[in-house]
């Protein structure tokens, strides 16, 4: 199923002008100096493909994961060397918990609980990260099962359950047993199939294991949540009013069909639509353009936009940091589809990065 024609018309009517933002607000003479670095970078550049995704938690636990196979097969053929996911890293989660007064409820909403793994291993976040780095520094195609079980437990202690899942998937079924710090309870938490689908677990971790990768990279960031200023009922009501617009209603008509399409097996079609220019226009026009246009004295919408831009800038910075030690690598950045236009905007100014169009992988090959 493709985006309905009437919705494309709505998107076209509300799209941004043809003049690129950089011409509206051109680089300063000092900023143009960065072009020297752009031209100086030698091949191969790092290739980054941003794959916008619906959040698969909209699906019930009984969803047949086999329906994701066509997408996984396409991504496996592209063979990324690193996979970035929309998850908050364990170190930041510890920070968010420590500063809960500044970030009320954020850790509870976005962070897994590493307590059981840390208690089982008698280890803290920093020590878990250090041991992971030490073990992975020794590159091995076939690690001993005991080491993979240890790594799975360490990733749970580090607050990275998707990477723990990668290690579990790389074990043979006979070796998926408790031991080496991986308790029965921790093992069940990794192996559980009664959870709602999750793109970090069911796409990123599955793909990483099939490609022989050791982990995924959580790059989400919520330290910039304070950019919106203190929350208040008045701000929440104002944002809700700004979201009540024709584009939001048109976009919702598309989103409401997503679960049915995925259940029907139209996974590639869903992902083509989610990564289309029309979907990007829906996301920006209905949400960030609508809030950015807020001219009220309180500027609540502009404060919300400050949060969103800060979050995406820091997410892209986390991607750049993770890929920095391996120039010329190939990266799949899996993220909620509303982030895709911002990811590509910010990644597009990096000297070492070449953006790859998702049509490289998702194009309809029946024509």
């Amino acid at each position: 199923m493709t985006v309905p024609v009437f919705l494309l018309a709505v998107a076209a009517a509300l799209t941004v002008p043809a003049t690129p933002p950089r011409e509206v607000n051109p680089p300063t003479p000092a900023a143009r100096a960065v072009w020297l670095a752009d031209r100086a970078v030698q091949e191969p550049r790092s290739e980054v493909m941003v794959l916008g995704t619906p959040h698969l938690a909209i699906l019930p636990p009984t969803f047949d994961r086999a329906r994701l196979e066509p997408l996984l097969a396409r991504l496996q053929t592209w063979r990324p060397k690193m996979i970035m996911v929309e998850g908050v890293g364990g170190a930041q989660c510890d920070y968010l918990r420590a500063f809960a007064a500044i970030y009320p409820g954020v850790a509870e909403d976005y962070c897994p609980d590493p307590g059981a793994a840390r208690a089982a291993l008698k280890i803290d976040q920093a020590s878990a990260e250090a041991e992971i780095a030490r073990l992975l520094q020794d590159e091995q195609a076939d690690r001993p099962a005991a080491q993979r079980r240890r790594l799975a437990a360490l990733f749970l202690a580090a607050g990275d359950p998707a990477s723990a899942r990668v290690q579990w998937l790389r074990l043979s079924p006979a070796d998926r047993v408790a031991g080496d710090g991986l308790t029965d309870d921790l093992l069940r938490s990794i192996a559980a199939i009664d959870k709602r689908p999750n793109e970090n677990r069911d796409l990123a971790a599955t793909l990483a294991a099939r490609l022989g990768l050791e982990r995924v990279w959580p790059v989400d960031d919520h330290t910039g949540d304070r950019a919106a200023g203190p929350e208040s009922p008045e701000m929440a009501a104002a944002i809700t009013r700004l979201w009540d617009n024709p584009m939001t209603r048109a976009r919702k008509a598309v989103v409401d069909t997503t679960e049915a399409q995925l259940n029907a097996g139209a996974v590639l079609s869903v992902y083509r639509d989610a990564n289309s220019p029309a979907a990007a226009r829906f996301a920006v026009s209905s949400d960030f353009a609508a809030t950015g246009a807020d001219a009220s004295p309180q500027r609540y919408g502009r404060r919300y936009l400050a949060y969103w831009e800060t979050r995406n800038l820091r997410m892209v910075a986390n991607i750049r940091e993770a890929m920095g030690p391996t120039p010329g690598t190939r990266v799949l950045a899996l993220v909620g589809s509303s982030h895709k236009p911002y990811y590509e905007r910010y990644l597009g100014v990096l000297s070492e990065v070449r953006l790859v169009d998702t049509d490289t992988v998702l194009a309809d090959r029946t024509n």
Side-chain angles (χ1 to χ4, degrees), residues 34-187:
V34 178
W35 296 345
L36 296 170
D38 295 346
R39 291 195 294 267
V41 172
Q42 301 296 302
E43 297 293 343
R45 295 176 185 266
S46 290
E47 296 182 324
V48 180
M49 182 169 66
V50 180
L51 184 66
T53 179
H55 289 307
L56 299 183
I58 63 173
L59 298 166
T62 54
F63 174 73
D64 182 4
R65 269 71 165 184
R67 296 191 183 280
L68 300 173
E69 283 301 322
L71 176 61
L72 286 165
R74 295 285 188 96
L75 295 172
Q76 189 172 348
T77 299
W78 193 63
R79 301 195 66 78
K81 300 296 185 183
M82 301 180 77
I83 301 173
M84 312 293 176
V85 299
E86 188 182 342
V88 182
Q92 185 176 126
C93 284
D94 282 358
Y95 169 81
L96 293 170
R97 293 185 185 100
F99 289 86
I102 299 173
Y103 303 98
V106 176
E108 289 79 4
D109 288 344
Y110 294 100
C111 294
D113 183 359
R118 292 181 186 178
L121 297 176
K122 297 179 175 58
I123 203 169
D124 61 13
Q125 164 70 32
S127 300
E129 290 278 6
E131 188 172 346
I132 290 167
R134 179 179 62 78
L135 290 172
L136 294 185
Q137 188 174 18
D138 179 18
E139 296 184 6
Q140 300 181 43
D142 296 308
R143 294 183 184 276
Q147 190 175 113
R148 291 213 180 277
R149 286 190 290 267
R150 177 73 180 179
L151 278 164
L154 286 167
F155 276 121
L156 289 177
D160 186 356
S163 292
R165 177 79 171 179
V166 174
Q167 292 298 321
W168 180 83
L169 288 170
R170 294 198 64 185
L171 286 165
S172 70
D175 290 323
R176 293 172 185 170
V177 296
D180 307 294
L182 194 62
T183 65
D184 286 322
D185 285 344
L186 295 177
L187 185 64

Side-chain angles (χ1 to χ4, degrees), residues 55-73 165 168-169 189-207 210 262-268 271:
H55 289 307
L56 299 183
I58 63 173
L59 298 166
T62 54
F63 174 73
D64 182 4
R65 269 71 165 184
R67 296 191 183 280
L68 300 173
E69 283 301 322
L71 176 61
L72 286 165
R165 177 79 171 179
W168 180 83
L169 288 170
S189 75
I190 299 174
I193 59 172
D194 59 346
K195 299 179 179 178
R196 284 185 175 273
N198 177 282
E199 55 269 18
N200 295 351
R201 172 190 174 93
D202 295 301
L203 289 177
T206 300
L207 179 63
R210 292 182 184 183
L262 291 171
N263 276 315
V267 172
L268 285 174
Y271 276 83

